[in-house]
Amino acid sequence: MNDKYINRGLTNKEVQERISADKINITNDNSSKGVKDIIISNTFNLFNAINILLAILVLITGHFRNMLFMGIVIINTITGIYQELKAKKKLDQLKLLNNPKATLIRDGHEIVVSESEIVIDDLMILKTGDEILCDAIIIEGNIEVNESMLTGESDNITKHLDDEVLAGSFVTSGYSKVRVNHVGYDNYMAHILKNIKKEKRQPSVIRETLDRIIKTITVIIIPLGLLIFFKQFILSSIPFDDAIIQTVASVVGMIPEGLVLLTTVALSIGCLNLSYEKTLVQEIYSLETLARVNTLCLDKTGTLTNGKMRVIETINIDSKLSSIIASIYNSLKTSNMTAKAIIDYFCDCEKIEVDEAYEFSSSKKYSGARIGDDIYKIGAYTYLLETNPNDLKFIESYTKQGYRVLTVTKNDKLEGYIIIEDELRNNVKETVQFFNDNDVNLKIISGDDMRTVSAIAHKAGVKNTVDAIDCGNIDDDTLKEKVLTHTVFGRVTPDQKYLMIKTLKENGYTVGMVGDGVNDTMALKEADFSISFLSAADSARNIANVILMDDDFSHMPSIVKEGRRVINNINRTSTLFLSKTAMSILLTVATIFIMKEYPFAPIQLTLLSTLCIGIPSFVLSLEPDYNIVKGSFARNIISRAVPSAISIVIAGFVLEVLVGFQLIESTSINTIYSIFTLSIFISNIIYISIPINVLRASLIALGIIGFLLAYFIFADIFYFVFLTTKEILITLCLIIVANLCLFFIGKLKFDRYIK
């Protein structure tokens, strides 16, 4: 390209021509669900389809009251759509702030545009920390890039004039101007991703467990439904309408219609609540991983500290060297907080001409320049000079106080030092104390001197900061050992950060990573849960599961608490849904092989589900519960659900025996079943509500009072009959039998065999 283009870029007319020709960087690749997708996923799903089919069958019989379960289905669907749309609206507003940006030159002016506004042949500026949003050709300058997201190779690659840089990689050091040569689906990254689903699935125990439950129910629900109808209509000679009603009741009971909805709504509300804390959750199931994090890796700069630095002192730096230092940093194309602090301190110094500037990189740990025949470098002592005990002792006198010491060299000889202070964030001590109190292990991982990092970590309240590890000259095997036993690590390279995260995961830890720089990107990607800041490098921000939109690390306790609240409540309330499902499956099998009739009408199960499952689960899912998430999700819910189902079936067998001895009228079976089933469901509410408070006691009372109202006032609607004194006494005995069975079966702890 000619010199005119290098300084001017495209004109507005040329940009419009390319937009008209669809040569624009749009792939229609949206990771969030659209309004249409939300409505479709909540409306047109397997369980809704089954419920509609069942409603049609009930409609054929003319027993319209037994279609009441469709009211629950409709309410569930509307609630799910409303909550997801509400959360989407708020999160989309935050995502606008997180839209990747590029710096372009158009008509001779630098402008910042969103990723989708880039057109073919745009002149783009790349500097340290930038994510490369389009394939492009370097036309000026040199940069180092990391292409690990594309190739899996973590080494930095130097790109020179006329070399191609690829979308999806990021700049680790340097400055250059590039011409965009591919946009949209023509980018190399788009070719890699074209056969991959758009939405990245965050690993989720809850989602995987629910998927298994739904698949299992889907496999058994149709054959069991057909078998129970065949048994009742053909073998037991029950009238067609009654056989249909009982079959519908069986199938309705097996469907955990609100379980998936509860999970989606609870996670969506969690994300919505966090949005009010200026926190963007980029994948809702990541809240589950967050709730289970027991090890959190933090960078020092920008996390424990606020990222603001200031030079507090210089050692052996005269006016001439001050001018050289000022000139070096003013000549660099890229800047960071350290550079800004130095520029501010030396701002009044006379500037001199720099022949060649050396940009800072995380691997070299220094910046510098060539001025005439002299090479000046400014950076970490151990990366610039041979070790001298006296120098190290002098540097340590500052680093142990938490200061950073930059070494200035001329032609590889020591010239002087720059002492820099890194300020702690507001409320960081309270944040660190929260993690200490909640058994979350903190690992402080930094590229700075270990003594500086250790001192600042100690000031912030981090435990076990004394035995800090210098990773500058440590092999990988030793690092793998040390990361399991130590807390503070200095002089850590990007590759070492990645290795540390991977090692912790391999040893059974659930690892969170907080980072904001290019050097954090690989570690953020490897972590189970990653957190970044709005002001972070594009590459770090776009990988993170959660973004702190106001860059305030003090939000972390609120984020962790919200994650725990959501997951703990899903754990608890899922038991209620699975109790009904397990009960219905066992009763259906018992009816097919032993019992004459299914013991519930659909409307009776709808009543029990509403009073003892639907309302309590929704209310309890919104309660505060900030305890550490423990145990397997599958074990937690099945450990109560299956004993509940078995207890109801055992009590049912006793009832069948009593009917056989004509101690109970057969017309009373449905009513008695409903009553002792109510008692088990109420026991489950009590079990998951301990300790009992006013709200939880109200839910228990609602279940009992609601059932009594249905029994005494609306008995005809719900097919209840009034029991005789003898039947009431027998029912009370069956309640005791069912709950004793629940107690003793629960003690067997057969859930330990469930993975």
Side-chain angles (χ1 to χ4, degrees):
M1 304 297 282
N2 56 41
D3 292 339
K4 186 176 182 181
Y5 170 82
I6 290 176
N7 295 318
R8 185 203 64 189
L10 296 178
T11 64
N12 287 331
K13 179 181 178 182
E14 290 169 334
V15 170
Q16 292 304 317
E17 288 173 351
R18 284 157 176 75
I19 292 175
S20 299
D22 287 331
K23 295 180 179 180
I24 190 168
N25 195 47
I26 295 178
T27 59
N28 298 318
D29 203 14
N30 192 353
S31 61
S32 67
K33 291 170 68 175
V35 174
K36 181 180 178 181
D37 293 330
I38 290 173
I39 294 173
I40 289 175
S41 64
N42 279 277
T43 306
F44 302 100
N45 53 58
L46 176 64
F47 286 158
N48 277 4
I50 293 174
N51 277 306
I52 291 172
L53 176 60
L54 296 176
I56 293 172
L57 293 174
V58 174
L59 188 63
I60 293 172
T61 68
H63 295 80
F64 303 126
R65 77 185 79 173
N66 282 302
M67 293 176 60
L68 184 61
F69 65 87
M70 282 304 297
I72 305 300
V73 172
I74 293 170
I75 291 172
N76 283 345
T77 301
I78 293 173
T79 302
I81 292 172
Y82 171 76
Q83 291 293 353
E84 280 204 68
L85 289 177
K86 184 178 179 182
K88 172 183 168 56
K89 180 180 179 182
K90 182 65 178 178
L91 295 176
D92 282 351
Q93 290 173 349
L94 288 181
K95 282 189 176 182
L96 288 175
L97 299 176
N98 186 41
N99 189 20
K101 299 290 194 298
T103 302
L104 306 178
I105 297 179
R106 287 181 180 172
D107 272 333
H109 301 288
E110 283 192 18
I111 61 171
V112 177
V113 303
S114 65
E115 180 180 21
S116 60
E117 295 178 88
I118 303 170
V119 300
I120 196 78
D121 294 328
D122 251 326
L123 179 59
M124 185 162 56
I125 294 176
L126 296 177
K127 58 186 181 301
T128 302
D130 285 348
E131 180 181 3
I132 301 173
L133 303 179
C134 296
D135 296 351
I137 303 295
I138 294 179
I139 62 174
E140 181 179 284
N142 300 304
I143 55 175
E144 287 185 357
V145 301
N146 187 300
E147 296 180 346
S148 59
M149 301 303 169
L150 303 174
T151 66
E153 299 294 332
S154 59
D155 293 337
N156 292 333
I157 301 171
T158 303
K159 298 286 186 175
H160 303 285
L161 189 66
D162 295 331
D163 285 345
E164 184 177 34
V165 293
L166 301 175
S169 54
F170 52 91
V171 182
T172 56
S173 68
Y175 173 95
S176 71
K177 293 180 181 179
V178 299
R179 176 181 60 81
V180 173
N181 66 330
H182 291 138
V183 291
Y185 291 109
D186 292 331
N187 284 315
Y188 175 73
M189 181 172 63
H191 289 293
I192 294 177
L193 299 177
K194 66 180 178 181
N195 294 319
I196 300 176
K197 291 181 179 179
K198 288 188 289 184
E199 292 187 34
K200 175 188 174 183
R201 284 173 66 90
Q202 176 76 10
S204 167
V205 175
I206 288 179
R207 177 170 54 199
E208 291 167 2
T209 302
L210 292 180
D211 285 346
R212 287 200 303 269
I213 291 171
I214 291 170
K215 288 176 182 176
T216 302
I217 293 171
T218 302
V219 169
I220 67 175
I221 197 169
I222 296 176
L224 283 181
L226 293 174
L227 284 172
I228 193 172
F229 176 77
F230 177 81
K231 161 68 185 299
Q232 294 181 115
F233 181 59
I234 304 298
L235 300 182
S236 300
S237 300
I238 295 174
F240 177 79
D241 286 358
D242 291 343
I244 286 290
I245 293 299
Q246 291 178 24
T247 300
V248 169
S250 166
V251 176
V252 166
M254 285 188 277
I255 300 174
E257 66 274 351
L259 182 55
V260 176
L261 170 73
L262 169 76
T263 303
T264 302
V265 169
L267 290 169
S268 297
I269 291 176
C271 295
L272 182 63
N273 290 341
L274 288 177
S275 72
Y276 296 118
E277 294 278 344
K278 301 297 183 184
T279 300
L280 172 62
V281 180
Q282 305 209 91
E283 212 283 318
I284 64 171
Y285 276 95
S286 64
L287 282 182
E288 178 190 354
T289 311
L290 167 63
R292 299 179 186 276
V293 164
N294 52 33
T295 301
L296 187 62
C297 298
L298 313 173
D299 193 4
K300 172 186 68 66
T301 305
T303 305
L304 294 181
T305 60
N306 59 18
K308 296 179 180 178
M309 301 182 184
R310 65 187 185 96
V311 177
I312 62 168
E313 185 181 358
T314 61
I315 310 295
N316 297 331
I317 306 260
D318 58 21
S319 58
K320 180 181 178 181
L321 189 54
S322 296
S323 296
I324 291 172
I325 294 171
S327 301
I328 290 172
Y329 277 94
N330 278 288
S331 67
L332 297 177
K333 297 289 186 180
T334 57
S335 181
N336 53 34
M337 289 299 174
T338 303
K340 290 177 181 177
I342 292 174
I343 290 172
D344 289 342
Y345 185 83
F346 294 104
C347 61
D348 295 330
C349 296
E350 181 182 354
K351 307 301 185 298
I352 60 178
E353 185 177 350
V354 171
D355 296 305
E356 183 181 4
Y358 309 134
E359 300 287 342
F360 176 84
S361 75
S362 56
S363 58
K364 294 184 297 185
K365 299 292 185 185
Y366 67 83
S367 303
R370 179 177 60 82
I371 301 176
D373 295 328
D374 297 320
I375 303 295
Y376 293 89
K377 296 178 182 178
I378 306 168
Y381 177 89
T382 54
Y383 282 75
L384 298 178
L385 297 168
E386 293 292 330
T387 300
N388 182 300
N390 292 329
D391 293 341
L392 293 180
K393 184 177 180 180
F394 174 79
I395 292 172
E396 186 176 1
S397 67
Y398 283 95
T399 55
K400 69 182 181 181
Q401 301 176 61
Y403 298 124
R404 295 181 62 194
V405 179
L406 292 184
T407 302
V408 182
T409 67
K410 175 183 177 182
N411 300 326
D412 296 328
K413 293 183 179 180
L414 177 64
E415 290 288 305
Y417 301 99
I418 303 173
I419 314 300
I420 297 177
E421 180 184 49
D422 202 351
E423 300 175 1
L424 285 176
R425 281 186 178 274
N426 293 330
N427 304 318
V428 71
K429 293 183 179 180
E430 292 81 357
T431 303
V432 169
Q433 188 60 46
F434 168 82
F435 289 117
N436 291 339
D437 294 341
N438 283 269
D439 298 326
V440 177
N441 298 316
L442 296 180
K443 303 284 184 183
I444 312 303
I445 303 173
S446 176
D448 291 335
D449 186 281
M450 67 173 187
R451 290 157 296 191
T452 302
V453 181
S454 178
I456 289 179
H458 180 72
K459 287 180 182 178
V462 177
K463 296 187 294 186
N464 304 321
T465 61
V466 176
D467 296 326
I469 302 298
D470 187 345
C471 298
N473 296 298
I474 192 172
D475 61 78
D476 288 351
D477 289 337
T478 303
L479 181 60
K480 287 180 180 181
E481 295 176 5
K482 297 296 184 183
V483 73
L484 300 176
T485 56
H486 289 66
T487 299
V488 177
F489 301 84
R491 298 294 180 220
V492 184
T493 66
D495 288 343
Q496 288 175 324
K497 288 187 180 184
Y498 169 83
L499 179 62
M500 294 166 78
I501 300 292
K502 186 176 181 180
T503 301
L504 288 167
K505 288 173 59 180
E506 289 173 348
N507 282 271
Y509 294 96
T510 303
V511 185
M513 171 73 187
V514 183
D516 61 352
V518 174
N519 59 326
D520 298 321
T521 305
M522 289 185 294
L524 288 168
K525 184 183 179 184
E526 178 64 20
D528 294 302
F529 185 85
S530 53
I531 304 146
S532 194
F533 306 94
L534 182 63
S535 62
D538 290 344
S539 53
R541 192 173 65 242
N542 292 335
I543 284 171
N545 298 118
V546 162
I547 298 173
L548 305 179
M549 304 303 286
D550 59 357
D551 293 356
D552 191 350
F553 182 63
S554 66
H555 288 316
M556 282 302 301
S558 298
I559 297 172
V560 173
K561 285 182 178 179
E562 186 63 21
R564 289 178 176 177
R565 184 193 69 78
V566 170
I567 303 309
N568 281 327
N569 287 336
I570 290 175
N571 271 333
R572 288 191 301 147
T573 54
S574 295
T575 298
L576 302 179
F577 290 98
L578 266 297
S579 295
K580 177 177 75 79
T581 296
M583 175 201 74
S584 296
I585 291 173
L586 292 182
L587 283 178
T588 300
V589 173
T591 302
I592 292 170
F593 293 104
I594 302 173
M595 298 161 54
K596 182 180 179 181
E597 299 181 19
Y598 191 77
F600 290 105
I603 195 170
Q604 292 167 343
L605 278 177
T606 300
L607 175 67
L608 292 172
S609 296
T610 302
L611 295 175
C612 301
I613 299 175
I615 295 174
S617 64
F618 183 77
V619 173
L620 292 174
S621 70
L622 301 177
E623 274 205 311
D625 184 351
Y626 306 132
N627 294 315
I628 298 172
V629 177
K630 296 180 179 179
S632 158
F633 175 65
R635 289 178 183 175
N636 288 341
I637 60 177
I638 292 177
S639 64
R640 188 72 179 183
V642 173
S644 299
I646 295 173
S647 302
I648 292 170
V649 172
I650 290 174
F653 283 151
V654 175
L655 178 59
E656 290 289 331
V657 172
L658 296 175
V659 172
F661 283 104
Q662 297 183 343
L663 296 175
I664 294 175
E665 295 292 331
S666 60
T667 55
S668 301
I669 292 177
N670 287 18
T671 302
I672 296 174
Y673 249 105
S674 297
I675 292 173
F676 68 69
T677 299
L678 171 77
S679 74
I680 292 295
F681 285 176
I682 291 295
S683 294
N684 286 339
I685 297 175
I686 294 172
Y687 175 78
I688 68 172
S689 297
I690 295 173
I692 304 295
N693 55 29
V694 174
L695 175 63
R696 296 172 181 180
S698 300
L699 292 174
I700 296 167
L702 174 66
I704 297 172
I705 294 171
F707 186 87
L708 291 175
L709 289 175
Y711 179 79
F712 286 109
I713 300 176
F714 304 106
D716 290 341
I717 294 176
F718 291 98
Y719 298 108
F720 291 145
V721 298
F722 291 105
L723 304 177
T724 64
T725 302
K726 180 176 68 173
E727 289 173 336
I728 291 174
L729 291 175
I730 290 174
T731 302
L732 291 175
C733 291
L734 289 173
I735 289 174
I736 294 172
V737 168
N739 281 275
L740 283 175
C741 288
L742 177 59
F743 176 78
F744 286 111
I745 294 172
K747 292 292 185 180
L748 297 178
K749 297 186 181 298
F750 59 88
D751 56 289
R752 64 182 179 273
Y753 301 110
I754 301 170
K755 293 183 179 181

